Amino acid sequence: MAIATVQELNSSKKSEVNGGEKNILFVISGMADVDIASNPSMKNTLKHLSEFGYVIHVFAAFPKSYRILQDPKAIFNSNVIYHRSPNFLIPLFDFAKFVKDLFGRSGQKETDQSHKLLPNEKVEYYDEYNFFGRMIFALFLFIYVPIEIVRVLFYFAKVRPSLFYGINAQGSTVARLLGKILKVPVVQRWHGSSYTEEDIAKM
């Protein structure tokens, strides 16, 4: 009996994807993006799915030319299509960050990823922000969700995806609402963990 190689199986699967009708994904990423600091989890997910033959529309909150971002065309093939906010919103994003950093910090530094948790130690995601800082996050979510829903619906009328892929609080909220309304399957992905590999091994 012939044994197929990994390359042959991948090639066969790519043919199935490219030949099928349901090969379009809508990734709703919110504030998660391919920034200069890399964000390899998101970058590699998009990179490998696109190389596998999927066409991916990414809906991101940051403006197109925001200084912390990488150019998607420089790191992805043509299967990854980015939809970012217009550049005239850059001052608004800068102002929100300035206010959050000036008034919203709690004085507690963000938890170092190399920090080893003690037994029963709990790390809250937003511990470095005070009530004001957390309200800024909530306000952004309140504003972002309806705007993003309208934008995604605009593209949905032209391109029908087989899946909504929501990332973190903003993207997952939009993806879940639209998935229920439009009867499209939804995947939610949450980045980050306060546990080290050693902690997971002990579990």
Side-chain angles (χ1 to χ4, degrees):
M1 185 175 82
I3 299 176
T5 64
V6 172
Q7 290 82 2
E8 288 170 341
L9 288 172
N10 283 341
S11 176
S12 173
K13 188 61 181 176
K14 284 182 181 179
S15 298
E16 291 176 17
V17 170
N18 291 326
E21 296 179 356
K22 296 185 176 181
N23 62 340
I24 299 174
L25 308 180
F26 275 16
V27 174
I28 307 167
S29 66
M31 299 293 285
D33 211 319
V34 283
D35 49 44
I36 294 173
S38 184
N39 194 352
S41 176
M42 181 171 176
K43 182 170 73 173
N44 290 333
T45 297
L46 296 177
K47 183 175 183 292
H48 292 304
L49 284 173
S50 66
E51 290 174 350
F52 210 68
Y54 291 95
V55 176
I56 307 167
H57 288 260
V58 183
F59 298 87
F62 282 117
K64 296 177 182 178
S65 301
Y66 204 54
R67 62 187 177 278
I68 67 171
L69 304 177
Q70 295 186 63
D71 179 6
K73 293 181 180 179
I75 53 179
F76 301 123
N77 61 33
S78 59
N79 281 351
V80 178
I81 304 162
Y82 252 81
H83 307 286
R84 284 181 172 146
S85 299
N87 284 331
F88 69 78
L89 293 177
I90 289 177
L92 180 62
F93 277 77
D94 284 340
F95 178 73
K97 183 180 186 305
F98 171 78
V99 172
K100 182 189 69 176
D101 290 343
L102 185 62
F103 300 107
R105 294 285 180 177
S106 66
Q108 179 173 332
K109 294 182 178 179
E110 187 175 357
T111 305
D112 191 325
Q113 292 186 10
S114 64
H115 171 71
K116 293 186 177 181
L117 293 178
L118 300 173
N120 300 319
E121 182 182 0
K122 184 179 181 182
V123 177
E124 295 291 348
Y125 186 74
Y126 291 115
D127 268 356
E128 71 268 27
Y129 296 105
N130 59 26
F131 178 79
F132 182 79
R134 298 181 194 197
M135 287 302 99
I136 292 177
F137 279 106
L139 177 63
F140 176 81
L141 185 65
F142 181 77
I143 296 173
Y144 168 80
V145 169
I147 293 175
E148 194 68 288
I149 285 176
V150 171
R151 187 164 66 143
V152 174
L153 284 174
F154 174 79
Y155 285 95
F156 185 86
K158 299 188 292 185
V159 182
R160 297 300 174 94
S162 59
L163 180 75
F164 287 132
Y165 189 105
I167 300 177
N168 294 341
Q170 300 94 356
S172 292
T173 301
V174 174
R176 186 176 181 186
L177 290 172
L178 286 177
K180 285 182 175 293
I181 295 169
L182 302 172
K183 308 300 181 185
V184 174
V186 174
V187 168
Q188 297 182 50
R189 180 169 187 176
W190 299 79
H191 289 166
S193 172
S194 59
Y195 293 102
T196 65
E197 291 181 3
E198 185 177 1
D199 296 320
I200 295 172
K202 289 179 180 179
M203 293 181 193

mmCIF file of all heavy atoms in Angstrom, residues 24-30 32 42 45-46 49 55-60 81-83 144 148 152 161 163-167 171 175:
data_model
loop_
_atom_site.group_PDB
_atom_site.id
_atom_site.type_symbol
_atom_site.label_atom_id
_atom_site.label_comp_id
_atom_site.label_asym_id
_atom_site.label_seq_id
_atom_site.Cartn_x
_atom_site.Cartn_y
_atom_site.Cartn_z
ATOM 1 N N ILE A 24 -12.998 31.252 2.633
ATOM 2 C CA ILE A 24 -12.814 32.646 3.037
ATOM 3 C C ILE A 24 -13.052 32.784 4.532
ATOM 4 O O ILE A 24 -14.065 32.321 5.053
ATOM 5 C CB ILE A 24 -13.769 33.575 2.257
ATOM 6 C CG1 ILE A 24 -13.480 33.492 0.757
ATOM 7 C CG2 ILE A 24 -13.625 35.012 2.747
ATOM 8 C CD1 ILE A 24 -14.468 34.253 -0.093
ATOM 9 N N LEU A 25 -12.104 33.408 5.221
ATOM 10 C CA LEU A 25 -12.211 33.627 6.660
ATOM 11 C C LEU A 25 -12.259 35.131 6.944
ATOM 12 O O LEU A 25 -11.536 35.901 6.321
ATOM 13 C CB LEU A 25 -11.015 33.025 7.394
ATOM 14 C CG LEU A 25 -10.661 31.558 7.122
ATOM 15 C CD1 LEU A 25 -9.439 31.165 7.942
ATOM 16 C CD2 LEU A 25 -11.829 30.656 7.424
ATOM 17 N N PHE A 26 -13.103 35.536 7.881
ATOM 18 C CA PHE A 26 -13.115 36.910 8.374
ATOM 19 C C PHE A 26 -12.483 36.904 9.768
ATOM 20 O O PHE A 26 -13.064 36.362 10.713
ATOM 21 C CB PHE A 26 -14.544 37.447 8.476
ATOM 22 C CG PHE A 26 -15.083 38.035 7.187
ATOM 23 C CD1 PHE A 26 -14.467 37.786 5.977
ATOM 24 C CD2 PHE A 26 -16.213 38.844 7.201
ATOM 25 C CE1 PHE A 26 -14.971 38.311 4.784
ATOM 26 C CE2 PHE A 26 -16.722 39.385 6.030
ATOM 27 C CZ PHE A 26 -16.103 39.126 4.820
ATOM 28 N N VAL A 27 -11.288 37.479 9.886
ATOM 29 C CA VAL A 27 -10.604 37.589 11.172
ATOM 30 C C VAL A 27 -10.886 38.979 11.738
ATOM 31 O O VAL A 27 -10.506 39.986 11.142
ATOM 32 C CB VAL A 27 -9.087 37.369 11.029
ATOM 33 C CG1 VAL A 27 -8.379 37.644 12.352
ATOM 34 C CG2 VAL A 27 -8.801 35.951 10.560
ATOM 35 N N ILE A 28 -11.579 39.033 12.877
ATOM 36 C CA ILE A 28 -11.920 40.302 13.512
ATOM 37 C C ILE A 28 -11.004 40.455 14.718
ATOM 38 O O ILE A 28 -11.188 39.795 15.738
ATOM 39 C CB ILE A 28 -13.404 40.317 13.912
ATOM 40 C CG1 ILE A 28 -14.267 39.973 12.688
ATOM 41 C CG2 ILE A 28 -13.792 41.684 14.470
ATOM 42 C CD1 ILE A 28 -15.700 39.661 13.012
ATOM 43 N N SER A 29 -9.996 41.308 14.582
ATOM 44 C CA SER A 29 -8.894 41.298 15.543
ATOM 45 C C SER A 29 -8.941 42.414 16.580
ATOM 46 O O SER A 29 -8.203 42.362 17.565
ATOM 47 C CB SER A 29 -7.556 41.366 14.799
ATOM 48 O OG SER A 29 -7.419 42.600 14.132
ATOM 49 N N GLY A 30 -9.777 43.428 16.383
ATOM 50 C CA GLY A 30 -9.821 44.514 17.357
ATOM 51 C C GLY A 30 -8.467 45.190 17.501
ATOM 52 O O GLY A 30 -7.876 45.649 16.527
ATOM 53 N N ALA A 32 -5.707 43.681 18.469
ATOM 54 C CA ALA A 32 -4.618 42.746 18.169
ATOM 55 C C ALA A 32 -4.177 42.956 16.724
ATOM 56 O O ALA A 32 -5.010 42.994 15.817
ATOM 57 C CB ALA A 32 -5.080 41.307 18.376
ATOM 58 N N MET A 42 -0.303 35.853 16.326
ATOM 59 C CA MET A 42 -1.239 36.290 15.292
ATOM 60 C C MET A 42 -0.607 36.228 13.909
ATOM 61 O O MET A 42 -1.211 35.762 12.943
ATOM 62 C CB MET A 42 -1.709 37.712 15.583
ATOM 63 C CG MET A 42 -2.710 38.220 14.561
ATOM 64 S SD MET A 42 -3.449 39.779 15.058
ATOM 65 C CE MET A 42 -4.439 40.122 13.591
ATOM 66 N N THR A 45 -0.347 32.634 12.627
ATOM 67 C CA THR A 45 -1.666 32.081 12.306
ATOM 68 C C THR A 45 -2.117 32.545 10.927
ATOM 69 O O THR A 45 -2.532 31.740 10.084
ATOM 70 C CB THR A 45 -2.702 32.510 13.360
ATOM 71 O OG1 THR A 45 -2.340 31.965 14.631
ATOM 72 C CG2 THR A 45 -4.095 32.018 13.000
ATOM 73 N N LEU A 46 -2.035 33.852 10.686
ATOM 74 C CA LEU A 46 -2.442 34.397 9.394
ATOM 75 C C LEU A 46 -1.547 33.881 8.268
ATOM 76 O O LEU A 46 -2.024 33.524 7.183
ATOM 77 C CB LEU A 46 -2.389 35.924 9.434
ATOM 78 C CG LEU A 46 -3.342 36.631 10.403
ATOM 79 C CD1 LEU A 46 -3.105 38.136 10.376
ATOM 80 C CD2 LEU A 46 -4.795 36.313 10.060
ATOM 81 N N LEU A 49 -2.255 30.003 7.515
ATOM 82 C CA LEU A 49 -3.581 29.800 6.920
ATOM 83 C C LEU A 49 -3.616 30.323 5.484
ATOM 84 O O LEU A 49 -4.208 29.707 4.598
ATOM 85 C CB LEU A 49 -4.654 30.488 7.759
ATOM 86 C CG LEU A 49 -5.058 29.794 9.052
ATOM 87 C CD1 LEU A 49 -6.015 30.675 9.858
ATOM 88 C CD2 LEU A 49 -5.709 28.436 8.775
ATOM 89 N N VAL A 55 -8.335 32.523 1.926
ATOM 90 C CA VAL A 55 -8.364 33.969 1.727
ATOM 91 C C VAL A 55 -8.870 34.587 3.027
ATOM 92 O O VAL A 55 -9.948 34.237 3.501
ATOM 93 C CB VAL A 55 -9.280 34.361 0.552
ATOM 94 C CG1 VAL A 55 -9.381 35.877 0.432
ATOM 95 C CG2 VAL A 55 -8.763 33.754 -0.744
ATOM 96 N N ILE A 56 -8.086 35.492 3.602
ATOM 97 C CA ILE A 56 -8.373 36.007 4.939
ATOM 98 C C ILE A 56 -8.577 37.513 4.890
ATOM 99 O O ILE A 56 -7.677 38.265 4.498
ATOM 100 C CB ILE A 56 -7.220 35.673 5.906
ATOM 101 C CG1 ILE A 56 -6.917 34.174 5.877
ATOM 102 C CG2 ILE A 56 -7.550 36.131 7.309
ATOM 103 C CD1 ILE A 56 -5.614 33.805 6.546
ATOM 104 N N HIS A 57 -9.751 37.951 5.321
ATOM 105 C CA HIS A 57 -10.020 39.382 5.470
ATOM 106 C C HIS A 57 -9.842 39.718 6.951
ATOM 107 O O HIS A 57 -10.544 39.173 7.804
ATOM 108 C CB HIS A 57 -11.434 39.721 5.021
ATOM 109 C CG HIS A 57 -11.633 39.649 3.544
ATOM 110 N ND1 HIS A 57 -11.642 40.770 2.723
ATOM 111 C CD2 HIS A 57 -11.816 38.585 2.721
ATOM 112 C CE1 HIS A 57 -11.826 40.394 1.478
ATOM 113 N NE2 HIS A 57 -11.939 39.080 1.447
ATOM 114 N N VAL A 58 -8.889 40.608 7.256
ATOM 115 C CA VAL A 58 -8.595 40.982 8.644
ATOM 116 C C VAL A 58 -9.171 42.366 8.927
ATOM 117 O O VAL A 58 -8.838 43.337 8.240
ATOM 118 C CB VAL A 58 -7.078 40.984 8.917
ATOM 119 C CG1 VAL A 58 -6.804 41.304 10.383
ATOM 120 C CG2 VAL A 58 -6.458 39.652 8.532
ATOM 121 N N PHE A 59 -10.034 42.431 9.940
ATOM 122 C CA PHE A 59 -10.640 43.701 10.338
ATOM 123 C C PHE A 59 -9.979 44.150 11.640
ATOM 124 O O PHE A 59 -10.209 43.563 12.697
ATOM 125 C CB PHE A 59 -12.146 43.537 10.512
ATOM 126 C CG PHE A 59 -12.852 43.134 9.247
ATOM 127 C CD1 PHE A 59 -12.977 41.787 8.902
ATOM 128 C CD2 PHE A 59 -13.366 44.092 8.391
ATOM 129 C CE1 PHE A 59 -13.610 41.414 7.732
ATOM 130 C CE2 PHE A 59 -14.007 43.727 7.216
ATOM 131 C CZ PHE A 59 -14.131 42.382 6.882
ATOM 132 N N ALA A 60 -9.137 45.186 11.549
ATOM 133 C CA ALA A 60 -8.354 45.646 12.696
ATOM 134 C C ALA A 60 -8.714 47.083 13.042
ATOM 135 O O ALA A 60 -9.085 47.876 12.175
ATOM 136 C CB ALA A 60 -6.868 45.538 12.388
ATOM 137 N N ILE A 81 -5.925 40.060 3.319
ATOM 138 C CA ILE A 81 -6.415 41.389 2.945
ATOM 139 C C ILE A 81 -6.771 42.140 4.221
ATOM 140 O O ILE A 81 -7.672 41.735 4.959
ATOM 141 C CB ILE A 81 -7.651 41.271 2.036
ATOM 142 C CG1 ILE A 81 -7.315 40.416 0.805
ATOM 143 C CG2 ILE A 81 -8.164 42.648 1.623
ATOM 144 C CD1 ILE A 81 -8.528 39.878 0.081
ATOM 145 N N TYR A 82 -6.058 43.230 4.481
ATOM 146 C CA TYR A 82 -6.257 43.986 5.721
ATOM 147 C C TYR A 82 -7.258 45.124 5.532
ATOM 148 O O TYR A 82 -7.220 45.838 4.537
ATOM 149 C CB TYR A 82 -4.927 44.561 6.208
ATOM 150 C CG TYR A 82 -4.402 43.858 7.440
ATOM 151 C CD1 TYR A 82 -3.728 42.646 7.331
ATOM 152 C CD2 TYR A 82 -4.594 44.396 8.706
ATOM 153 C CE1 TYR A 82 -3.248 42.000 8.460
ATOM 154 C CE2 TYR A 82 -4.110 43.749 9.842
ATOM 155 C CZ TYR A 82 -3.440 42.555 9.710
ATOM 156 O OH TYR A 82 -2.967 41.908 10.825
ATOM 157 N N HIS A 83 -8.125 45.287 6.529
ATOM 158 C CA HIS A 83 -9.054 46.418 6.577
ATOM 159 C C HIS A 83 -8.811 47.128 7.908
ATOM 160 O O HIS A 83 -9.288 46.686 8.953
ATOM 161 C CB HIS A 83 -10.504 45.942 6.481
ATOM 162 C CG HIS A 83 -10.774 45.049 5.313
ATOM 163 N ND1 HIS A 83 -10.860 45.534 4.021
ATOM 164 C CD2 HIS A 83 -10.959 43.701 5.236
ATOM 165 C CE1 HIS A 83 -11.107 44.520 3.199
ATOM 166 N NE2 HIS A 83 -11.160 43.412 3.904
ATOM 167 N N TYR A 144 -16.330 50.608 19.698
ATOM 168 C CA TYR A 144 -15.776 49.775 18.621
ATOM 169 C C TYR A 144 -16.772 48.758 18.078
ATOM 170 O O TYR A 144 -16.892 48.587 16.864
ATOM 171 C CB TYR A 144 -14.518 49.054 19.135
ATOM 172 C CG TYR A 144 -14.032 47.954 18.235
ATOM 173 C CD1 TYR A 144 -13.283 48.230 17.093
ATOM 174 C CD2 TYR A 144 -14.324 46.607 18.525
ATOM 175 C CE1 TYR A 144 -12.836 47.215 16.265
ATOM 176 C CE2 TYR A 144 -13.874 45.589 17.699
ATOM 177 C CZ TYR A 144 -13.138 45.897 16.571
ATOM 178 O OH TYR A 144 -12.720 44.889 15.750
ATOM 179 N N GLU A 148 -17.589 48.286 14.146
ATOM 180 C CA GLU A 148 -17.000 47.137 13.461
ATOM 181 C C GLU A 148 -18.069 46.223 12.867
ATOM 182 O O GLU A 148 -17.880 45.650 11.785
ATOM 183 C CB GLU A 148 -16.097 46.361 14.403
ATOM 184 C CG GLU A 148 -15.181 45.364 13.704
ATOM 185 C CD GLU A 148 -14.125 46.054 12.856
ATOM 186 O OE1 GLU A 148 -14.498 46.618 11.778
ATOM 187 O OE2 GLU A 148 -12.950 46.026 13.239
ATOM 188 N N VAL A 152 -18.012 45.124 8.996
ATOM 189 C CA VAL A 152 -17.968 43.717 8.584
ATOM 190 C C VAL A 152 -19.187 43.368 7.739
ATOM 191 O O VAL A 152 -19.081 42.644 6.739
ATOM 192 C CB VAL A 152 -17.866 42.792 9.815
ATOM 193 C CG1 VAL A 152 -17.973 41.333 9.386
ATOM 194 C CG2 VAL A 152 -16.553 43.024 10.557
ATOM 195 N N PRO A 161 -18.036 34.743 4.050
ATOM 196 C CA PRO A 161 -17.017 33.901 4.688
ATOM 197 C C PRO A 161 -17.618 32.598 5.209
ATOM 198 O O PRO A 161 -18.824 32.503 5.445
ATOM 199 C CB PRO A 161 -16.536 34.771 5.855
ATOM 200 C CG PRO A 161 -17.764 35.550 6.230
ATOM 201 C CD PRO A 161 -18.488 35.825 4.943
ATOM 202 N N LEU A 163 -16.290 31.397 8.028
ATOM 203 C CA LEU A 163 -15.973 31.407 9.457
ATOM 204 C C LEU A 163 -15.659 32.824 9.914
ATOM 205 O O LEU A 163 -15.011 33.587 9.202
ATOM 206 C CB LEU A 163 -14.747 30.516 9.724
ATOM 207 C CG LEU A 163 -14.269 30.392 11.165
ATOM 208 C CD1 LEU A 163 -15.212 29.494 11.966
ATOM 209 C CD2 LEU A 163 -12.857 29.820 11.214
ATOM 210 N N PHE A 164 -16.139 33.178 11.118
ATOM 211 C CA PHE A 164 -15.699 34.384 11.812
ATOM 212 C C PHE A 164 -14.680 33.968 12.865
ATOM 213 O O PHE A 164 -14.945 33.087 13.678
ATOM 214 C CB PHE A 164 -16.863 35.098 12.495
ATOM 215 C CG PHE A 164 -17.801 35.800 11.562
ATOM 216 C CD1 PHE A 164 -19.179 35.629 11.688
ATOM 217 C CD2 PHE A 164 -17.327 36.633 10.573
ATOM 218 C CE1 PHE A 164 -20.056 36.277 10.837
ATOM 219 C CE2 PHE A 164 -18.200 37.297 9.708
ATOM 220 C CZ PHE A 164 -19.566 37.116 9.844
ATOM 221 N N TYR A 165 -13.527 34.620 12.857
ATOM 222 C CA TYR A 165 -12.449 34.310 13.790
ATOM 223 C C TYR A 165 -12.210 35.557 14.632
ATOM 224 O O TYR A 165 -11.595 36.527 14.185
ATOM 225 C CB TYR A 165 -11.204 33.929 12.989
ATOM 226 C CG TYR A 165 -10.030 33.381 13.765
ATOM 227 C CD1 TYR A 165 -9.728 32.017 13.730
ATOM 228 C CD2 TYR A 165 -9.191 34.218 14.501
ATOM 229 C CE1 TYR A 165 -8.633 31.514 14.417
ATOM 230 C CE2 TYR A 165 -8.098 33.717 15.184
ATOM 231 C CZ TYR A 165 -7.820 32.371 15.142
ATOM 232 O OH TYR A 165 -6.731 31.875 15.823
ATOM 233 N N GLY A 166 -12.730 35.571 15.862
ATOM 234 C CA GLY A 166 -12.623 36.740 16.726
ATOM 235 C C GLY A 166 -11.471 36.621 17.695
ATOM 236 O O GLY A 166 -11.251 35.562 18.287
ATOM 237 N N ILE A 167 -10.723 37.722 17.858
ATOM 238 C CA ILE A 167 -9.545 37.717 18.729
ATOM 239 C C ILE A 167 -9.756 38.662 19.907
ATOM 240 O O ILE A 167 -10.124 39.829 19.730
ATOM 241 C CB ILE A 167 -8.282 38.125 17.947
ATOM 242 C CG1 ILE A 167 -8.035 37.147 16.795
ATOM 243 C CG2 ILE A 167 -7.070 38.192 18.865
ATOM 244 C CD1 ILE A 167 -6.850 37.498 15.920
ATOM 245 N N GLY A 171 -12.616 41.675 19.271
ATOM 246 C CA GLY A 171 -12.917 40.849 18.101
ATOM 247 C C GLY A 171 -13.879 39.722 18.394
ATOM 248 O O GLY A 171 -14.756 39.408 17.587
ATOM 249 N N ALA A 175 -17.455 39.013 16.584
ATOM 250 C CA ALA A 175 -17.599 37.729 15.896
ATOM 251 C C ALA A 175 -18.784 36.940 16.431
ATOM 252 O O ALA A 175 -19.564 36.350 15.654
ATOM 253 C CB ALA A 175 -16.316 36.915 16.031
#
